[in-house]
Amino acid sequence: MSSNELPSDPVHLADVFDAACAGQADRPCLVFGDRRLSYGQVRREAQALAAALADLGTVPGSRIAVNLPNWPEWVASALATAYLGGTLVPINPGLGFHELKYQLRHAEASVVITAETWDGREFLEMFEDLAAELPDLRFLVTVGPQELWYDERTFQYEDLVSKGLHLPPPAGRDAESHPLAIVYTSGTMGKPKGVRLSHRALVETARLGGTVLGVVPEDVVLVAVPCFTVFGTSTVISALAAGAAVVLAERFVAPDIVALLAREGITVCHGVPTMFHLLVREPGFARERLPRLRTGIVAGSPVPPDLVTRVRATCDVQIAYGLTETGPTVTMTRFDDPPPRRAETVGRPLPGIEVRIVDVGTGELHGPEAVGELAVKGPNLMSGYHRMPGETRRAFTAEGFFLTGDLAMVDEDGYVRIVGRRKEMIIRNGYNVYPREVEDVLRAHPAVEEVCVVGVPHEILGEMICACVVPVEGAVVRGEDILLYAREQMADYKLPDLVRFFDALPMTASGKVKRREMAQVVALDHSAS
């Protein structure tokens, strides 16, 4: 099902930001600690950086990698890339040497804008070693206070901005010629892939999500989700398109975030479930202390109904579903949805987006309430995986639907329920078991803080079900207790065969459990026992 109601507003990010600046150049745009930048100031900085890069010979279509945490320079660099007509490549500054080299080489980045140092990493030293292995890299732009000796390929961010203020801004914009961004997937189930997203896919989708939330210029939006993720990028674009103020958080530390929410009068707060799990534990996360906190989006991984109920006691969030390949949002709950569907589904598709349920084996369409693979079609879709035509072909049906890899069902009213990942499905003794179903039951146990269910190869059963449990701090709980609780809640074929306890689950930077890594750890442990 789908909606044909689509906006006719401009979709090029530079045009959208210019429209947001019109008539409100003095309004707050970016807040970071003690720094306060107006819309006019951000626009001047972004245009100046674009002009300086163009003066160096950087042309439209060039890939500009941004290796920064949630700093104002990240936002200005993204906008500068749009003004230049380039393609933004957001990079996780927490990547190791080889991961960083892989993504920069794969993206064919010609410019890298990087922190000088961050979180104990000396990026200038790292790039001295990387330079010889990045044949496409022409310029390195550094953000930081150090007074360094620069060569003809290395420039300080502030120097380029100062130079660009005296140069004409790049002319000519075309939302169709080059992707707005190449965003790398989190790689939870394999090697990260570079997803090409157009201006329309990212900007229009972000704007539609903001419309559902009712974001207006008077709002103050917290961006604590890392900007280098598609969720973070979309959050920034959505806020800027609405002309709202953006408060950037460099790191997510729950007590500090609660203090920031109160100090800055945040009205819109987005996050992954892990973030909200930590926030609801904080005594200060309450309406009495945060009277302005209105709404936000919780997305990025499965959202337990009990969690969203607790969050909504303070902040009336919406649940969203999407992937990097879908720009990212496919569906969202709405404020006027029936309460059970607001808590137990991921809502309905955004306007212009069509979803179908496809039989995993035959590829045929399913009717309402049947479980199959969720397929998506709409202007939010990626144009393909960068330098991976084979993977791109396999990801789409002949009718142009993107196969998400997620197992879902759609009810008669169009509400989508996500059951789990197709690749995560466990086949035990001939039965299909969806990890999320088991996780939702186990997570309700009072001694369970977090849980991840994975399959372990077994000679007779095909796969065994293993529940990887992080217990609540101080709880005394045994595997037998977990299994006894589960036996009262679910069918026998879904019961875990094994329970393993962990201090923490391995997570990606975007807040998703690294299931493949978890499965490998359990399989090795089981084979050795």
Side-chain angles (χ1 to χ4, degrees):
M1 51 197 57
S2 65
S3 168
N4 294 319
E5 180 189 345
L6 285 171
S8 57
D9 297 325
V11 295
H12 194 288
L13 179 57
D15 293 334
V16 170
F17 186 66
D18 283 346
C21 291
Q24 64 160 27
D26 295 329
R27 284 182 62 85
C29 180
L30 298 180
V31 176
F32 181 70
D34 295 332
R35 295 175 64 184
R36 300 287 194 274
L37 295 172
S38 69
Y39 267 83
Q41 289 172 317
V42 174
R43 186 184 185 206
R44 283 192 295 275
E45 184 170 317
Q47 288 185 335
L49 180 59
L53 290 174
D55 188 60
L56 290 172
T58 309
V59 298
S62 297
R63 262 80 74 181
I64 300 175
V66 179
N67 183 53
L68 297 172
N70 288 15
W71 292 350
E73 290 84 1
W74 192 99
V75 179
S77 296
L79 291 168
T81 302
Y83 280 119
L84 183 63
T87 297
L88 172 71
V89 184
I91 297 291
N92 176 0
L95 292 181
F97 180 90
H98 295 288
E99 297 169 307
L100 179 61
K101 181 178 72 173
Y102 171 80
Q103 291 193 9
L104 292 177
R105 288 190 68 165
H106 189 266
E108 303 164 293
S110 61
V111 178
V112 175
I113 301 173
T114 182
E116 292 174 357
T117 61
W118 185 74
D119 199 30
R121 290 177 172 83
E122 297 285 343
F123 286 109
L124 292 181
E125 292 182 10
M126 190 180 292
F127 274 99
E128 283 182 10
D129 297 330
L130 278 170
E133 303 189 57
L134 299 173
D136 297 295
L137 182 61
R138 298 182 62 218
F139 303 112
L140 185 69
V141 181
T142 68
V143 179
Q146 298 182 37
E147 292 295 332
L148 301 166
W149 179 265
Y150 295 102
D151 57 29
E152 67 277 3
R153 295 184 4 156
T154 306
F155 301 89
Q156 194 159 29
Y157 177 93
E158 291 184 358
D159 292 342
L160 283 184
V161 170
S162 297
K163 177 183 178 182
L165 290 171
H166 306 288
L167 297 170
R173 298 169 191 165
D174 183 357
E176 306 299 330
S177 295
H178 306 289
L180 170 55
I182 297 174
V183 183
Y184 280 83
T185 60
S186 57
T188 55
M189 298 299 292
K191 199 80 168 175
K193 295 189 283 284
V195 177
R196 295 199 305 265
L197 293 166
S198 67
H199 285 261
R200 181 172 298 278
L202 271 172
V203 175
E204 193 168 273
T205 306
R207 192 158 44 198
L208 286 170
T211 300
V212 170
L213 296 179
V215 180
V216 295
E218 291 72 30
D219 274 310
V220 182
V221 180
L222 176 66
V223 178
V225 178
C227 288
F228 61 79
T229 65
V230 73
F231 189 2
T233 300
S234 179
T235 296
V236 170
I237 293 173
S238 175
L240 295 181
V246 175
V247 177
L248 296 164
E250 183 175 344
R251 290 181 174 84
F252 185 90
V253 179
D256 296 344
I257 293 296
V258 171
L260 186 62
L261 292 169
R263 184 171 68 250
E264 298 296 345
I266 305 292
T267 62
V268 181
C269 175
H270 306 296
V272 298
T274 303
M275 293 178 171
F276 282 108
H277 268 298
L278 295 171
L279 285 176
V280 295
R281 290 187 196 165
E282 294 298 318
F285 190 74
R287 286 199 184 275
E288 296 75 23
R289 187 179 181 192
L290 307 172
R292 297 199 64 204
L293 187 56
R294 182 172 63 82
T295 189
I297 290 173
V298 54
S301 61
V303 184
D306 64 317
L307 172 64
V308 80
T309 299
R310 293 166 66 195
V311 174
R312 284 175 179 158
T314 300
C315 179
D316 194 12
V317 293
Q318 301 294 353
I319 300 172
Y321 162 78
L323 303 166
T324 305
E325 292 91 337
T326 60
T329 312
V330 174
T331 66
M332 281 182 68
T333 57
R334 272 72 160 181
F335 291 108
D336 57 356
D337 285 338
R341 282 168 168 156
R342 280 197 80 205
E344 298 169 7
T345 77
V346 293
R348 292 164 291 149
L350 292 179
I353 297 174
E354 183 179 355
V355 298
R356 293 182 180 179
I357 298 297
V358 178
D359 186 278
V360 173
T362 66
E364 296 178 357
L365 297 183
H366 275 321
E369 306 296 344
V371 173
E373 184 169 4
L374 186 66
V376 179
K377 189 175 185 180
N380 60 320
L381 292 184
M382 68 170 182
S383 56
Y385 294 116
H386 185 57
R387 298 178 60 191
M388 301 177 78
E391 287 282 350
T392 300
R393 283 192 300 273
R394 287 188 286 272
F396 287 88
T397 69
E399 298 79 22
F401 280 84
F402 173 73
L403 297 170
T404 64
D406 283 315
L407 298 170
M409 64 175 69
V410 182
D411 68 21
E412 292 182 348
D413 296 317
Y415 290 88
V416 178
R417 296 174 188 265
I418 303 298
V419 176
R421 291 290 292 169
R422 177 177 174 177
K423 291 181 180 179
E424 294 167 5
M425 186 174 70
I426 301 167
I427 303 177
R428 182 191 184 278
N429 202 24
Y431 289 97
N432 293 341
V433 179
Y434 307 115
R436 182 175 174 180
E437 287 185 298
V438 184
E439 290 165 356
D440 285 346
V441 170
L442 299 185
R443 200 177 280 115
H445 190 289
V448 173
E449 178 66 36
E450 190 52 88
V451 60
C452 172
V453 171
V454 297
V456 180
H458 189 269
E459 185 177 352
I460 297 173
L461 296 174
E463 286 182 287
M464 292 192 301
I465 302 168
C466 179
C468 306
V469 174
V470 177
V472 171
E473 185 178 12
V476 178
V477 61
R478 302 170 304 163
E480 294 90 333
D481 302 324
I482 301 294
L483 293 175
L484 180 63
Y485 176 83
R487 188 168 285 113
E488 298 171 353
Q489 308 289 327
M490 65 178 72
D492 286 347
Y493 75 88
K494 299 180 184 179
L495 288 173
D497 299 287
L498 306 168
V499 178
R500 295 287 185 266
F501 292 97
F502 295 85
D503 294 331
L505 301 179
M507 309 288 282
T508 69
S510 55
K512 298 177 183 178
V513 177
K514 296 181 178 178
R515 288 183 178 272
R516 175 172 289 186
E517 182 176 317
M518 204 73 244
Q520 290 172 341
V521 168
V522 173
L524 286 171
D525 177 64
H526 181 67
S527 63
S529 61

